[in-house]
């Protein structure tokens, strides 16, 4: 079993829809949780960063962490074609060495 | 604009060649990492370094080595390239205690023929 599980999709939604992405994990020691966005032929870029449980909102993006269920989510509201990318979850015990999910490919149709 | 720069975007090498992938960061970060990214497998850590001349094996170090002679530069070496090392290679850096995740380079797509 992988340490971090992420459904690879692909996920296709119409413009304006809410995109819901999630990851599960097995290591209860994880306490730093991140979402990265990766456009085609580019390196990943940090999108959201959360420490421990709770919610964090940044514009159209909301990250949720439920440590009791070992489950994290990313929601994208009012999705745009420019949101089409691969989204990677990542997590860490010590904010140093990250464990990544496999990534979910999202397409937002105009 | 802070940056992690990988020297090549695309490389084609022959089986058995020694291959060098270079990565430079301009953020004075202590930590640097090399990952490979393959479809369905995500990012897998090859090696990382938390200080000059220091290195630690990641999850898949076999067939690779690294060098960090200066703080800003971290090199990945494929001692004898094989076709199963065809992949996207990503370099990243982070600050110790920075709590801001990694900054990645744009990647090097290596094809071994």
């Amino acid at each position: 079993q992988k340490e971090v599980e992420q459904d690879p999709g692909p996920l296709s939604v119409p413009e304006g829809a809410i995109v819901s992405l999630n990851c599960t994990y097995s290591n209860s020691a994880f306490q730093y949780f991140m979402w990265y966005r990766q456009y085609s032929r580019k390196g990943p870029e940090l999108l959201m960063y959360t420490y421990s449980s709770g919610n964090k909102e940044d514009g159209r993006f909301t990250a949720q962490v439920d440590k009791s269920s070992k489950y994290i989510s990313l929601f994208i509201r009012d999705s745009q074609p420019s949101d089409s990318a691969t989204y990677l979850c990542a997590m860490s015990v010590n904010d140093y060495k990250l464990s990544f999910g496999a990534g979910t490919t999202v397409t937002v149709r105009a | 604009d802070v940056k992690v720069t990988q020297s090549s975007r695309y490389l084609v090498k022959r089986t058995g060649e020694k291959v060098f992938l270079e990565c430079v960061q301009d953020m004075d970060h202590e930590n640097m990492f090399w990952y490979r990214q393959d479809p369905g497998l995500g990012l897998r850590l090859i090696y990382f370094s938390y200080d000059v001349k220091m290195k630690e094996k990641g999850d898949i170090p076999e067939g690779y080595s690294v060098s960090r002679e200066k703080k800003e530069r971290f090199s990945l070496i494929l001692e004898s390239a094989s076709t199963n090392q065809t992949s996207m290679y990503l370099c990243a850096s982070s600050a110790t205690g920075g709590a801001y995740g990694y900054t990645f380079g744009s990647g090097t797509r290596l094809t071994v023929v």
Side-chain angles (χ1 to χ4, degrees):
Chain A
Q1 184 189 0
K2 290 182 185 177
E3 201 171 35
V4 181
E5 298 278 0
Q6 183 178 7
D7 186 341
L11 191 61
S12 180
V13 300
E15 185 174 357
I18 295 175
V19 176
S20 175
L21 304 168
N22 56 75
C23 291
T24 59
Y25 61 93
S26 57
N27 186 349
S28 58
F30 285 144
Q31 52 180 348
Y32 299 92
F33 303 91
M34 285 143 271
W35 287 94
Y36 286 81
R37 178 175 61 196
Q38 185 177 22
Y39 291 116
S40 180
R41 291 184 289 277
K42 296 284 189 181
E45 56 179 337
L46 183 65
L47 196 58
M48 298 287 282
Y49 186 105
T50 310
Y51 171 70
S52 195
S53 282
N55 295 356
K56 185 172 183 178
E57 192 171 314
D58 184 2
R60 297 184 295 111
F61 298 89
T62 299
Q64 292 183 350
V65 176
D66 182 348
K67 290 187 72 179
S68 63
S69 302
K70 298 192 183 70
Y71 186 91
I72 70 170
S73 302
L74 177 71
F75 299 96
I76 308 173
R77 292 184 300 279
D78 187 25
S79 57
Q80 304 294 310
S82 59
D83 295 325
S84 298
T86 296
Y87 291 82
L88 299 142
C89 64
M91 43 200 82
S92 173
V93 172
N94 54 15
D95 186 38
Y96 169 51
K97 183 169 170 283
L98 300 185
S99 296
F100 285 86
T104 301
T105 299
V106 174
T107 301
V108 180
R109 308 184 306 270
Chain B
D1 191 20
V2 294
K3 210 182 281 190
V4 175
T5 302
Q6 295 184 231
S7 55
S8 305
R9 290 302 309 275
Y10 300 96
L11 275 179
V12 180
K13 296 292 181 181
R14 295 193 181 277
T15 301
E17 275 194 78
K18 191 168 186 176
V19 180
F20 293 85
L21 303 182
E22 306 287 344
C23 176
V24 177
Q25 52 98 0
D26 64 1
M27 296 165 283
D28 201 35
H29 282 171
E30 295 83 5
N31 311 313
M32 296 188 75
F33 307 83
W34 275 106
Y35 284 85
R36 63 177 283 176
Q37 185 176 28
D38 300 288
L41 297 176
L43 275 73
R44 292 181 290 168
L45 181 63
I46 304 171
Y47 266 97
F48 63 101
S49 168
Y50 52 88
D51 201 354
V52 175
K53 297 191 186 293
M54 305 302 289
K55 61 185 179 184
E56 286 197 29
K57 293 180 180 179
D59 300 318
I60 52 164
E62 297 77 19
Y64 302 94
S65 62
V66 290
S67 172
R68 194 169 181 197
E69 296 296 320
K70 294 184 178 181
K71 189 176 185 180
E72 67 271 18
R73 187 180 295 270
F74 193 35
S75 302
L76 179 69
I77 303 153
L78 285 66
E79 298 292 342
S80 176
S82 64
T83 54
N84 63 13
Q85 292 178 310
T86 291
S87 186
M88 168 70 90
Y89 289 88
L90 289 163
C91 176
S93 71
S94 73
T96 298
Y100 293 122
Y102 291 2
T103 301
F104 280 91
S106 291
T108 296
R109 183 160 296 281
L110 173 68
T111 302
V112 182
V113 297

